Amino acid sequence: GEEFVVRPQCLVSHVGFRPDYELARELQVHLCYASEGPMKLASSLLAARVAAERGGDASAAGDCLSQAPPGRDLLTTPEPRFHVLGAKSYGRASSFLLAIGHKQVQGVVALLAEALLPKLSK
């Protein structure tokens, strides 16, 4: 075969990612020791993966396109009004999608609106 050389202008590598929780170090955030994501969401993602594997569909266990957005309750932490959203919410898991992040933000905004708007109108 003919030899060719690839000269990319930009290379993006998203491997070995670890979330930085320096900002939240003094807050009450329960993190999963395995994925370094918030515990409620991490355990839900693990349960979905195990269920897919037990259901005989090993390919679905790793299919990030088949995942449902997490419920608002999975995005809460022991720290009042502190939520971990976006890629950081998935910790070291590689199945995060930007569409999931958008749904997370919508859910938390609705959650905060429910909690704060009645108090503001009084």
Side-chain angles (χ1 to χ4, degrees):
E2 189 176 323
E3 186 177 314
F4 66 94
V5 177
V6 176
R7 292 187 178 98
Q9 293 180 356
C10 179
L11 178 64
V12 177
S13 176
H14 190 58
V15 297
F17 173 77
R18 294 184 70 135
D20 180 7
Y21 283 101
E22 187 63 32
L23 177 68
R25 184 174 301 276
E26 299 296 325
L27 301 178
Q28 298 176 40
V29 181
H30 187 196
L31 299 176
C32 173
Y33 62 89
S35 71
E36 296 182 352
M39 185 56 82
K40 288 181 185 179
L41 181 57
S43 63
S44 173
L45 293 171
L46 178 61
R49 181 179 204 127
V50 168
E53 288 173 353
R54 285 188 180 158
D57 191 1
S59 64
D63 184 8
C64 58
L65 295 175
S66 67
Q67 64 183 317
R72 298 184 310 186
D73 58 320
L74 296 177
L75 300 173
T76 60
T77 65
E79 186 70 31
R81 296 188 190 136
F82 182 80
H83 307 276
V84 180
L85 306 176
K88 190 175 284 194
S89 70
Y90 273 52
R92 297 170 74 176
S94 61
S95 56
F96 174 76
L97 297 173
L98 192 55
I100 296 291
H102 291 164
K103 295 289 185 186
Q104 288 178 338
V105 171
Q106 290 172 349
V108 169
V109 167
L111 188 68
L112 292 172
E114 289 173 7
L116 299 175
L117 289 180
K119 294 177 184 177
L120 292 175
S121 63
K122 291 183 181 181

